[in-house]
Amino acid sequence: MSGESGYYGKRRKWHSWGYEDEGITPAEVKEMAERVAQRLNIDEPVILPDPTLEELVLREPRIKIPASLQPFCTTDKWDRVFHTYGKSFKDLTKIYRRDFDNAPDVVAYPKDEADIAAVLDWCGDKGYAAIPFGGGSSVTDGFGCPEDYPGAVIIDLGNLNKILEVDDVSRCALIQAGILGPALEEQLKPKGLTLRHIPQSWEFSSLGGWIATRSSGHYATHLTHIDESVESLRVVTPKGTIENRRLPGSGAGPDPDRLFIGSEGSLGIITEAWMRLQGRVKFRANATITFDSFYQGAGAVREITQAGLFPANARYLDEQDAKFYGAGDGSKSVLLLGFESADHPVDAWLERGIEICKDHGGSVETKTGSGGDALQSSRSGAQGNWRKQFRYLPRMMHTRAAMGVVSFTFETAYTWDKFESIDTEVIRRLKKAQEEITGGGIVCRRFSFLYPDGPAPYYTVVAPSDHSRSLEDYQALSDVASDALTELGGTITHHHAVGRSFRPWYDKEVDPLYRAMLAGAKNTIDPNWIMNPGMILDRPAHFKMVG
Amino acid sequence: MSGESGYYGKRRKWHSWGYEDEGITPAEVKEMAERVAQRLNIDEPVILPDPTLEELVLREPRIKIPASLQPFCTTDKWDRVFHTYGKSFKDLTKIYRRDFDNAPDVVAYPKDEADIAAVLDWCGDKGYAAIPFGGGSSVTDGFGCPEDYPGAVIIDLGNLNKILEVDDVSRCALIQAGILGPALEEQLKPKGLTLRHIPQSWEFSSLGGWIATRSSGHYATHLTHIDESVESLRVVTPKGTIENRRLPGSGAGPDPDRLFIGSEGSLGIITEAWMRLQGRVKFRANATITFDSFYQGAGAVREITQAGLFPANARYLDEQDAKFYGAGDGSKSVLLLGFESADHPVDAWLERGIEICKDHGGSVETKTGSGGDALQSSRSGAQGNWRKQFRYLPRMMHTRAAMGVVSFTFETAYTWDKFESIDTEVIRRLKKAQEEITGGGIVCRRFSFLYPDGPAPYYTVVAPSDHSRSLEDYQALSDVASDALTELGGTITHHHAVGRSFRPWYDKEVDPLYRAMLAGAKNTIDPNWIMNPGMILDRPAHFKMVG
């Protein structure tokens, strides 16, 4: 038990990103703090020390584990603490404030679907919240405990971490939902296959979590969201198990998988999925292209996306974002354009992409063609720096919470016709709010994912604050962004999920009659409304327990 | 009124494919009949004459149109007759048998959403079936009248035939759902854009119909189903209108459009959609490649599909199918491989496709590169013959019903690992059934749509029969195919929809608990279960009208 079961024999840190045995040195913390302080013109920030388990005071568990569930359920302090928070700025700030008032009562580590069904039966009988937990990387309060339930049980899927079957003819695998990114790829590698779904949370997020939150991964275009890689799902609901048929495509009624993709645990627990895989990359061609302004390059990026070239990578960073990731000097916007294939050289694809960039005034800084050097190029220079930071930064995110500055990201998508006007207005409102609330700060953005009909801009917000008000400042700035996106026509989340954090805006974005239909569907399989309360839907006011 | 309103000033034939002013000459009918008779070794088939309106006896309308709806509703004979049947073999046979026992009572031609809402209110009050009608091309009994309703109203969307707005930056358009294929493309052409969704029914099927049935169109790979081209929907339900937000991508909850895509009118009437468009094709590269056996070439087709080359065309016809379409001499399987782009030459793509074919023993018969001649090549030779027959054949399908032979197609999809075993078994069972039931016949197949994880095989079945038993023979053979697909792991429909024809197999294919969830969703917006009864879901046995 104690959180080791699903995590390959070593325990993770509960107060930051990484395993317990991965030391972040005081020097690293100091360097990051200085870097942030310098960017924000803060003198000598107060850095709170890492919290210890002993310091924390938890409410007594409100509920008692039945004898039959005791072999895989626990109320141990470590387990309850580890499963209290995700990895948002808000979560990390609360962790550093030692605020664990709302820890779950029980943590379950089911070995199989029978265990899951048993826990759901128990929760259904008693009206306890049943909250699925994958890798714990939520940045939107996706598994916090609801206030109006008599008890809360976290269901940690870490033991469901195997690839059960590989079909290398169709290039698919049947994979258990609790598997984390690295184990998944490790088990696929001998077959020459890869899921190639690599969100920034990859090391500590699970297949089931990706599917339940409509995660976006490696591919800038084409296979952006996990949705398209799902061939079929198995879902355990309070009323039984749903198994969809493995099919490459079908026209038989509304797609049965799509109701669960993005359901954030509210409709049941995804336990297995047949996933569509890719051959391992053999050919690459990369270029780094700079533009004088973000909007200038955005035109090139749009044209590339609409041209049907399907670049795997088209990360486009504005001046500040590029500088922060070590991919530029802060004077230009930087496009990291990359093509890859398991089948054929992709030089013709890159050449056309570059041609489009040049038409839009872009300057090619580096370029590598197919073959071994292209792989190297994606690991050095601007591309390499970006890659290194992408992996390293989550490990350091707690530093900002610990030093009491505001630091968060948000992401959206909207159509190209509105791009400049929405982007300009979002930044204008945020800068104004920063001046009023935090006395300044930084807003920068990039594109990570692109569609022919619109980009998915990703914004980073950093602002000075202090420990007495950093949470409130965060919330005020975040609300400005959310209000703007919802009002101007964006989506409240492109790939971080709705969670509890964005529910008020989700409710404005999505038609109430459609949400009523979802509630009708949920009520059928979860009549006691125990599944991850607060996600997507609310328990009706007139609700009564069903016996 | 009288069916002209939505149909661009001319009336369509109610007993076959095409407009009233498009004559099919007796010589054409004779030629087709002889061609079929020769293939099936039938002497002198009895060809029933085309039915006339005067011959038909319809039940009196069971219901009375309220005064407020009279301006756009009718009980005229022509309108009721035209809206009785789709275009399946079964439909055409019943037409030639002059069997119109189950004609709808009323046909409504709403001008706008207010008219639609008014009809739904009326049907909801009275418990009449409200049946949306797009182009009438259903081959799965998708708009037939249910037996257990006191009245049936067809809602013909032909007046909703405009493109309301074009966003040429994001390459999208807001399009009314009743528009037919040709009008849609005609209105987009001046903008240099195209939906490029061209099912065989294109001339007489509507955007709303494509979406409601998850139609597949032009693209062999990548954008196969209409699903991916839908940016957002507007749907009128008995409880009000649902409007989803225009977004290129989102991670905010289960995709709200996907519940309606494939709902076959059971959850409301799609009235408008923002659709993702393509630039008009400027570059093409085509090749015709032959293989000694269907399974040999299937290996090449699989590899091409998994290589990420995204051919627009990869129609792969077996020996018999190729011969019938004039694309081969009957000795080889024929792959029509085509790449196209609005942006760049696609020769590199074709070259790699051909390389893969050669690795699998394919022989290149013709090849044309980018530029003007490639367009020409797709209009001549094997490609051109195939194209001509593809358009022409629907106009002649009634001939087979009129001559009393059995003739139908069915389509499915399943994963590549099962391809040879399922295909072999389906054909074995059909041939056996043909021997037993019709004393022989033909089964052939092709691939039209392909996925990295599996093909969508399309089968054609033709068998001798006569007017006394052709319907029964059809049903017996069709059941053998449906049973086999469902049992062996295919889907009951890849792109012809479920309709009433395939409901028994749909119910086996799709998890009952998921269908219960759909029923919960439907009940929320259609509490009187008036929307297209029999599609996807059944009215519960304990059903009571809600006031």
Side-chain angles (χ1 to χ4, degrees), chain B residues 13-33:
Chain B
K13 293 178 190 171
W14 53 266
H15 54 73
S16 60
W17 198 252
Y19 286 107
E20 276 187 350
D21 63 2
E22 294 174 331
I24 294 290
T25 64
E28 282 177 288
V29 173
K30 192 157 170 274
E31 190 203 322
M32 173 59 79

Side-chain angles (χ1 to χ4, degrees), chain B residues 44-62:
Chain B
E44 310 240 350
V46 180
I47 304 178
L48 301 179
D50 290 348
T52 65
L53 202 60
E54 294 66 37
E55 286 177 282
L56 308 181
V57 182
L58 268 56
R59 157 176 70 195
E60 282 299 300
R62 294 168 295 177

Side-chain angles (χ1 to χ4, degrees), chain B residues 1-11 79 109 156 158-159 161:
Chain B
M1 198 92 62
S2 282
E4 288 174 23
S5 37
Y7 303 116
Y8 318 103
K10 45 183 182 172
R11 233 161 50 166
D79 300 272
Y109 296 95
D156 184 322
N159 288 319
N161 58 13

Side-chain angles (χ1 to χ4, degrees), chain A residues 60-294:
Chain A
E60 282 300 300
R62 294 167 295 178
I63 62 182
K64 207 173 140 356
I65 303 167
S68 63
L69 306 183
Q70 280 174 8
F72 64 93
C73 292
T74 181
T75 56
D76 280 2
K77 188 175 187 180
W78 187 94
D79 300 272
R80 293 176 65 205
V81 165
F82 178 72
H83 293 91
T84 301
Y85 288 117
K87 295 291 180 280
S88 71
F89 173 77
K90 194 170 163 181
D91 291 329
L92 295 169
T93 302
K94 285 187 170 178
I95 289 170
Y96 274 84
R97 289 184 181 184
R98 281 73 174 156
D99 173 359
F100 280 76
D101 286 353
N102 204 25
D105 299 286
V106 170
V107 179
Y109 296 96
K111 295 173 308 299
D112 52 29
E113 289 185 354
D115 284 351
I116 294 173
V119 174
L120 296 189
D121 283 349
W122 175 45
C123 291
D125 282 349
K126 302 286 188 179
Y128 302 151
I131 305 169
F133 180 101
S137 66
S138 173
V139 289
T140 62
D141 197 2
F143 56 87
C145 295
E147 283 175 11
D148 48 350
Y149 279 67
V153 180
I154 290 278
I155 302 168
D156 183 322
L157 299 164
N159 289 318
L160 279 69
N161 58 13
K162 304 279 182 305
I163 292 185
L164 301 177
E165 198 179 331
V166 175
D167 165 5
D168 51 11
V169 179
S170 318
R171 294 203 320 195
C172 293
L174 177 62
I175 310 177
Q176 289 187 306
I179 199 167
L180 303 185
L184 189 160
E185 290 298 338
E186 205 174 281
Q187 292 178 46
L188 285 178
K189 201 171 184 178
K191 296 280 186 180
L193 293 167
T194 167
L195 179 62
R196 215 143 178 69
H197 187 82
I198 314 170
Q200 194 165 16
S201 61
W202 179 75
E203 287 176 85
F204 299 112
S205 54
S206 68
L207 175 65
W210 301 336
I211 297 170
T213 60
R214 300 181 69 188
S215 161
S216 287
H218 167 75
Y219 293 106
T221 64
H222 185 41
L223 296 175
T224 46
H225 277 112
I226 193 87
D227 309 28
E228 285 72 35
S229 296
V230 173
E231 194 183 59
S232 70
L233 294 180
R234 238 180 107 89
V235 184
V236 176
T237 80
K239 282 287 189 191
T241 301
I242 293 174
E243 179 164 7
N244 296 330
R245 187 173 280 220
R246 247 197 100 182
L247 292 170
S250 175
D255 186 327
D257 293 317
R258 295 276 179 168
L259 189 58
F260 301 97
I261 298 174
S263 61
E264 303 192 11
S266 67
L267 300 177
I269 297 182
I270 297 162
T271 55
E272 294 175 6
W274 272 100
M275 297 300 298
R276 300 180 177 125
L277 306 173
Q278 307 297 317
R280 297 188 72 84
V281 174
K282 289 190 192 133
F283 302 89
R284 289 174 209 260
N286 291 313
T288 304
I289 301 132
T290 55
F291 294 91
D292 287 341
S293 85
F294 194 65

Side-chain angles (χ1 to χ4, degrees), chain B residues 200-219:
Chain B
Q200 194 166 14
S201 61
W202 180 75
E203 286 176 87
F204 299 113
S205 54
S206 69
L207 175 65
W210 301 336
I211 297 170
T213 61
R214 301 182 67 189
S215 160
S216 286
H218 166 76
Y219 292 106

Side-chain angles (χ1 to χ4, degrees), chain B residues 43 50 87 91 106 202 204 214 217 223 260 292 309 312 331 347 352 397 399 405 450 475 494 500-501 530:
Chain B
D43 315 317
D50 290 348
K87 296 289 178 282
D91 292 330
V106 170
W202 180 75
F204 299 113
R214 301 182 67 189
L223 296 174
F260 301 98
D292 287 339
L309 293 164
S331 69
D347 305 70
R352 177 58 192 144
M397 283 308 290
T399 305
V405 305
L450 295 154
Q475 196 63 57
H494 177 265
R500 215 170 254 105
S501 306
I530 58 166

